[in-house]
Structure formats: C-alpha cells, structure tokens
Amino acid sequence: FVLTFVVYYWILRSRTSIDSNVIEQTWIWHKQVSIAKITQLKFIYIPYFSWLLAPRLIVRSGVQVHVFHSADPRVLAAFAALSLPKTFD
C-alpha cells in the first residue's frame, strides 16, 4: 500500500515540459534531454486509447534512452510536432 501511495503521489506531482532547447520531466528522478543532442525519437500515442496505453515520447541521445510521459494536450502536440519529419522548401 505504501509503495502504491508513493508512486501515485509522484505521478500527480510530476511535470513534463518542452521548449525550443530541452525536454524535461520531474518525477522521482529528474530527466532532461537537450533537443540538439537527440539522435532518435519515437512518439507513441493512440487517440481514444490513452486510457489503456499512456502517451509517451521515447528519446535516444547517444547511448542513453529516456521515456517522457504526458497527458497534457499541449505537451502532446509539442511531442507530435517534434516527431514529425522536417520538410524543406
């Protein structure tokens, strides 16, 4: 029971943010990745099934792999924009 309560508390307290330089998530462990150092990323989001499979961004920077979870629509939109291929005119 205590372990469940602690994890639930940290889930409610955690924050995920993204700006033009960095992706950051506070939780029990603080995660931060510079966007310039990202070598590979995958955005996993299935509309209408986020209750079953939590939306997440999986990021590889060098040999490290970080998983960022979010439920905020603005953060999910930023994750989607980051994961789309860049087009050049």
Side-chain angles (χ1 to χ4, degrees):
F1 175 74
V2 172
L3 181 63
T4 303
F5 178 75
V6 169
V7 170
Y8 181 70
Y9 168 78
W10 278 103
I11 287 172
L12 293 178
R13 190 171 182 267
S14 69
R15 297 292 177 254
T16 304
S17 62
I18 181 172
D19 63 22
S20 61
N21 299 321
V22 71
I23 304 171
E24 186 173 17
Q25 185 171 49
T26 61
W27 202 61
I28 295 173
W29 301 278
H30 186 89
K31 294 184 269 188
Q32 183 174 352
V33 174
S34 172
I35 291 177
K37 293 183 179 181
I38 293 175
T39 58
Q40 187 178 34
L41 64 87
K42 180 184 259 186
F43 180 48
I44 300 174
Y45 174 63
I46 303 172
Y48 308 109
F49 287 99
S50 59
W51 58 272
L52 181 62
L53 182 66
R56 67 196 72 202
L57 182 71
I58 303 171
V59 174
R60 179 180 297 274
S61 63
V63 295
Q64 295 180 334
V65 175
H66 300 278
V67 179
F68 296 94
H69 295 85
S70 182
D72 187 294
R74 295 172 296 175
V75 175
L76 293 176
F79 283 175
L82 186 63
S83 67
L84 292 175
K86 306 289 187 263
T87 58
F88 300 98
D89 294 328

